[in-house]
Amino acid sequence: QLQASGGGLVQPGGSLRLSCAASGFTLDSYEIGWFRQAPGKEREGVSCISGYGGATLYADFVKGRFTISRDNAKNMGYLQMNSLKPEDTAVYYCATVPRKRFWCQIAATTYDFWGQGTLVTVSS
């Protein structure tokens, strides 16, 4: 089971850190992805981190603002979001798949396990 948390209301320019907690299995060597879906829009990939080596990938619209990380000892994944913009408002989901490789891909259809989303609202 995966559970995303950490969402909330934040002003433009603010920061939030989302967490992705795994239970019932070990995230170690699993690829982790973050996705989001805004009202009336399709789901889009935000970032991913590889199962081995910690390689990361970001969508262009979050590069330089968001940072993905993982803590295998705590069985957690994270998404640090800085310089938030109103257009970042969405429900954010974490997902994982046991892909043991040194690179990752932000393709939603390739992830097996999904957590419940957490709502991020960026507004003044």
Side-chain angles (χ1 to χ4, degrees):
Q1 184 179 0
L2 283 178
Q3 179 65 55
S5 62
L9 174 63
V10 63
Q11 292 186 341
S15 298
L16 282 175
R17 188 176 82 154
L18 304 184
S19 298
C20 179
S23 59
F25 67 101
T26 303
L27 270 179
D28 189 9
S29 79
Y30 275 54
E31 192 164 317
I32 301 172
W34 284 94
F35 300 84
R36 71 185 188 185
Q37 187 165 19
K41 295 188 177 181
E42 294 187 353
R43 182 176 53 189
E44 58 185 359
V46 175
S47 182
C48 64
I49 186 166
S50 65
Y52 289 159
T56 58
L57 187 66
Y58 298 92
D60 287 344
F61 51 80
V62 302
K63 279 182 181 177
R65 300 189 297 124
F66 290 12
T67 303
I68 190 172
S69 62
R70 63 191 304 153
D71 187 333
N72 290 335
K74 295 182 178 180
N75 221 27
M76 297 284 292
Y78 303 99
L79 185 69
Q80 177 67 44
M81 307 186 297
N82 299 329
S83 302
L84 283 161
K85 305 175 181 180
E87 51 264 44
D88 294 318
T89 295
V91 176
Y92 283 73
Y93 300 89
C94 62
T96 190
V97 60
R99 275 197 294 258
K100 302 177 182 180
R101 58 190 184 186
F102 291 93
W103 56 282
C104 65
Q105 61 187 104
I106 321 173
T109 57
T110 67
Y111 285 77
D112 292 338
F113 306 107
W114 290 78
Q116 290 184 325
T118 184
L119 176 63
V120 173
T121 303
V122 185
S123 175
S124 56

